[in-house]
Amino acid sequence: MTVLLWVLGILALPVVAFGLYIGFVFVKTFIKHDPSADDENAGAEAAAKLGLLPATRQDLDRPGAADPAAEAVLQAVRGGDWESGARFLAEAGRDWEERGRRVSILGHEAAKEDAWLLAWRAARPGDADAALVNAESMIYLAWDIRGSMQAKNTTREQFDGFHRVLAQAREACAEAQALGGDDPNPFVVEMPLAMGLGYSHKDFNELWDQAVKRAPHHLGAHQSALQYWCAKWRGSHDLALSFGREAAAKGIPGQLLTLVLLEAHFEYEFAHQDIDEDEYYKRPELMRAVDAALLDLAAAAAEAGDPRARRLLPMRHMLAYMLYWQDRYEAAMEQFKLIDGHIGTAPWSYLAGKPRFAERYTAIRDFTAQRVLEASQARDVTA
């Protein structure tokens, strides 16, 4: 099977993988002003002084550095060694978030070439792990057929193929769910089908209930569900914001569920081309949401023991963007220093076309760097 994945290639995080399903993109002005050449040069110089990379050196396919273990497994399965893939997934155990990440990696690969997955399924009939990877791969394939363009720019042939494969994927999800026991991921994997096939709110809620009764704080499940509730799919802006608020309220620091509310606000902003971001992100609710997310992130980082841990990266990218709009430049720069070099995720990936979104990213980052250095120089003068 062949694929044309539009945004991230092989991914290190399930939420980023999910961006493959929902990434209809818009172009907005991503900087606070239209910089002159002098402004751009000064910002770039400031970023360089802080050790940050130019646009040409940004990885546009990942939110963070590649996972060496995953890369080794992918090389193995490409050579027909399906047992390496099976071990890779089994080793996630009952860490449902990590299991979801690994399913995404293997499913993406199987959507490109599935001979190794077919061999796995033949060798182990009724294997829950193989069934789950199969379901994930079929959903990737369906979205590859559809493409990433808005509906008005998608052909009838693409839509027909998309819906045909989604119907097959629904059967694959049912198989994975029947075999999956208390694993929430077979139900999370089905959530893109709810968008593509237009599940009713009642049917989606039944699917949602199956996922969260198995893992009430599964971040990937919440992020997938948020997309269903967005106006661009099967909900509305009010429903998406309500869902985001509920998710943030029920989480405890370290679970990163505050990210769901940030994403809901970001989706709202990006869907409204006339919004003044400089004003929107400074509203009291947004200031409180960002503050809560910073506390959530700090707890998760302390638990992980690694400031660049993969599960933290989606939050860091989103916070860098929102802190920038809130004029909290030093806090934003803390995040930029930890994400710089790998920007294949939201919010940056919502900009149409590579390498254009790298240029938009560096424009925001460089503006931030310049403000940080100016503030530092002002403190030195007054000291």
Side-chain angles (χ1 to χ4, degrees):
M1 292 184 285
T2 59
V3 296
L4 296 171
L5 291 173
W6 72 278
V7 82
L8 295 178
I10 186 61
L11 304 169
L13 288 164
V15 58
V16 181
F18 188 71
L20 296 166
Y21 306 142
I22 54 84
F24 297 150
V25 294
F26 304 90
V27 178
K28 294 185 71 171
T29 301
F30 246 61
I31 51 178
K32 295 174 187 283
H33 67 299
D34 294 322
S36 66
D38 289 342
D39 290 334
E40 290 180 348
N41 290 337
E45 290 173 4
K49 288 179 181 177
L50 293 174
L52 303 174
L53 300 174
T56 55
R57 294 185 59 191
Q58 300 296 325
D59 176 355
L60 308 184
D61 295 323
R62 298 180 178 88
D67 176 2
E71 293 296 314
V73 166
L74 291 175
Q75 287 297 322
V77 299
R78 287 166 188 158
D81 180 10
W82 63 264
E83 291 174 304
S84 290
R87 283 194 300 271
F88 178 67
L89 183 52
E91 287 167 359
R94 294 177 60 82
D95 182 338
W96 302 130
E97 296 276 359
E98 177 62 14
R99 181 172 167 81
R101 183 183 80 91
R102 296 185 183 204
V103 167
S104 177
I105 291 169
L106 293 172
H108 174 272
E109 185 62 28
K112 293 187 286 188
E113 173 51 61
D114 65 351
W116 60 273
L117 177 57
L118 293 174
W120 179 1
R121 302 200 75 194
R124 296 182 181 175
D127 185 283
D129 287 2
L132 181 55
V133 173
N134 180 57
E136 180 82 300
S137 71
M138 293 186 72
I139 293 169
Y140 272 110
L141 179 62
W143 252 266
D144 298 338
I145 291 170
R146 187 209 180 282
S148 63
M149 301 301 291
Q150 296 184 44
K152 66 182 180 181
N153 297 319
T154 302
T155 68
R156 173 47 53 193
E157 289 77 11
Q158 286 174 301
F159 273 125
D160 289 345
F162 173 63
H163 287 105
R164 182 177 62 254
V165 176
L166 282 185
Q168 297 169 359
R170 192 170 192 176
E171 296 176 4
C173 286
E175 178 192 11
Q177 290 159 8
L179 295 170
D182 59 352
D183 181 5
N185 288 295
F187 300 93
V188 179
V189 164
E190 188 181 348
M191 289 181 187
L193 294 181
M195 297 183 295
L197 295 178
Y199 286 19
S200 69
H201 290 183
K202 177 179 179 295
D203 288 345
F204 182 81
N205 280 324
E206 290 175 358
L207 176 65
W208 169 250
D209 288 344
Q210 291 294 326
V212 295
K213 80 177 182 180
R214 290 168 168 79
H217 301 99
H218 192 295
L219 177 59
H222 284 79
Q223 291 175 297
S224 296
L226 173 67
Q227 293 299 321
Y228 173 87
W229 291 116
C230 282
K232 66 186 179 184
W233 283 107
R234 305 299 171 181
S236 67
H237 296 305
D238 287 344
L239 287 171
L241 287 170
S242 176
F243 181 83
R245 291 178 185 120
E246 290 175 7
K250 79 175 185 180
I252 62 175
Q255 292 177 332
L256 301 178
L257 286 177
T258 53
L259 174 59
V260 183
L261 179 55
L262 299 190
E263 290 178 337
H265 281 294
F266 174 73
E267 292 284 354
Y268 181 89
E269 176 246 307
F270 234 69
H272 291 79
Q273 299 290 295
D274 58 344
I275 278 182
D276 180 346
E277 298 95 333
D278 226 8
E279 178 181 332
Y280 177 75
Y281 284 108
K282 292 185 177 76
R283 293 185 304 133
E285 180 182 6
L286 267 297
M287 298 295 289
R288 290 192 299 269
V290 168
D291 287 341
L294 287 167
L295 293 174
D296 198 0
L297 176 62
E303 179 182 339
D306 176 4
R308 286 187 170 85
R310 281 185 290 274
R311 69 181 295 260
L312 310 179
L313 293 174
M315 178 75 91
R316 293 198 184 282
H317 284 277
M318 192 60 70
L319 280 172
Y321 176 72
M322 292 189 179
L323 288 163
Y324 158 80
W325 284 113
Q326 292 177 352
D327 299 345
R328 300 162 73 175
Y329 298 118
E330 293 188 0
M333 185 51 59
E334 291 180 14
Q335 306 306 324
F336 279 121
K337 287 179 178 179
L338 292 168
I339 64 175
D340 195 61
H342 304 278
I343 59 171
T345 188
W348 326 114
S349 59
Y350 270 60
L351 295 179
K354 298 177 183 179
R356 185 174 183 179
F357 74 75
E359 296 168 353
R360 296 297 183 95
Y361 162 80
T362 52
I364 290 174
R365 184 206 62 190
D366 293 356
F367 186 95
T368 302
Q370 191 173 358
R371 301 290 85 75
V372 168
L373 286 186
E374 288 172 353
S376 177
Q377 292 164 359
R379 286 194 295 271
D380 291 343
V381 170
T382 59

